[in-house]
Amino acid sequence: MNILVIAPHPDDEVLGCGGTLLRHRRSGDRIHLVFITAMRQELGFTAERIRARADEIERVRSRLDAAVHCLDYPAATLTDADAVTMIPTLSALFRSVAPETVYLPNRSDAHSDHGVCFDAAYACTKVFRCPSIRNILMYETVSETDFSPALAENVFLPNYFVDISEVVEEKLELMRTYASELAEHPFPRSIVALRAIGRLRGCAAGVEYAEAFQLLKHIR
């Protein structure tokens, strides 16, 4: 099975569905990670930090045995105008990969990059554009999904759960690869927080640890 993950920034894929991806790897599925944005020196990132991020991506890629696709849009600058080039680029990638399952960022996340990425990617999932797709799911990103404005239209409604009890420690170790994105509790992107949300979602699913998704489409 071909799996395609849209990640606005490197680390979103591990935060939101790292355990699920580890299960896909164990099942022999082919994982494709699509990183929409990248660090650039003109945005204030040092050459050393950019090289370190490239190393982090490679280590995650290796651990997941994944294919990586980098679109290289400048991080934290996305607007709806970027859809003009992003949609055809993603559409070509969707056709090439022919995914059966697609994981997307939550459309109402606090970070504006996430919403732009969701809209562009979701436009590529129409059945006449990518008929291979059977499942479309939104993942939650701690520090983004939970920090969106408390409005009804922004609510993340988990209705699909994946038991990650057997791989939770491996997920946390994978997240430690992105060391610069982590900080000590009560920072939302902490190992304590990731373990806590895993337990919380596990309670809803009747397992020790789980990742939660909002299922947008399932074709059987």
Side-chain angles (χ1 to χ4, degrees):
M1 180 187 297
N2 288 328
I3 308 300
L4 192 146
V5 185
I6 299 294
H9 319 95
D11 83 342
D12 291 327
E13 80 290 355
V14 177
L15 290 168
C17 48
T20 301
L21 295 178
L22 287 164
R23 287 196 51 164
H24 280 300
R25 185 203 63 188
R26 288 187 174 192
S27 297
D29 297 331
R30 183 61 170 156
I31 300 168
H32 292 261
L33 303 177
V34 183
F35 296 121
I36 304 294
T37 69
M39 295 175 173
R40 293 188 181 182
Q41 284 185 280
E42 59 265 31
L43 296 175
F45 296 101
T46 65
E48 181 181 11
R49 182 69 191 93
I50 293 170
R51 286 193 297 270
R53 175 47 57 91
D55 178 63
E56 291 167 354
I57 291 172
E58 171 55 27
R59 283 187 283 155
V60 168
R61 183 212 64 76
S62 179
R63 292 281 293 274
L64 292 174
D65 191 24
V68 168
H69 312 268
C70 298
L71 271 58
D72 293 326
Y73 284 87
T77 68
L78 293 181
T79 69
D80 291 340
D82 290 304
V84 173
T85 56
M86 194 182 297
I87 290 175
T89 300
L90 284 175
S91 189
L93 181 58
F94 272 63
R95 290 195 300 271
S96 174
V97 171
E100 294 172 66
T101 296
V102 176
Y103 295 100
L104 303 176
N106 178 47
R107 66 179 297 274
S108 58
D109 280 356
H111 199 311
S112 58
D113 280 359
H114 289 220
V116 173
C117 292
F118 172 88
D119 288 340
Y122 193 70
C124 302
T125 65
K126 296 175 181 178
V127 291
F128 57 84
R129 286 184 171 170
C130 192
S132 63
I133 295 174
R134 292 293 176 266
N135 304 288
I136 305 171
L137 302 103
M138 291 194 306
Y139 58 85
E140 59 180 338
T141 306
V142 63
S143 80
E144 301 297 350
T145 305
D146 45 329
F147 278 84
S148 62
L151 303 171
E153 62 269 25
N154 292 340
V155 176
F156 177 78
L157 300 171
N159 58 0
Y160 186 102
F161 298 83
V162 175
D163 183 354
I164 63 166
S165 303
E166 292 186 0
V167 296
V168 65
E169 298 304 329
E170 193 174 355
K171 171 184 175 169
L172 297 178
E173 189 60 33
L174 196 61
M175 188 59 211
R176 289 187 181 96
T177 302
Y178 293 117
S180 64
E181 304 295 337
L182 292 170
E184 294 300 315
H185 180 70
F187 186 68
R189 287 194 305 278
S190 68
I191 296 300
V192 171
L194 288 177
R195 189 183 297 279
I197 196 168
R199 283 191 181 278
L200 176 66
R201 297 313 189 189
C203 289
V207 299
E208 189 172 0
Y209 290 96
E211 286 175 338
F213 302 87
Q214 188 166 343
L215 180 64
L216 300 184
K217 180 179 285 187
H218 172 69
I219 302 174
R220 182 172 179 178

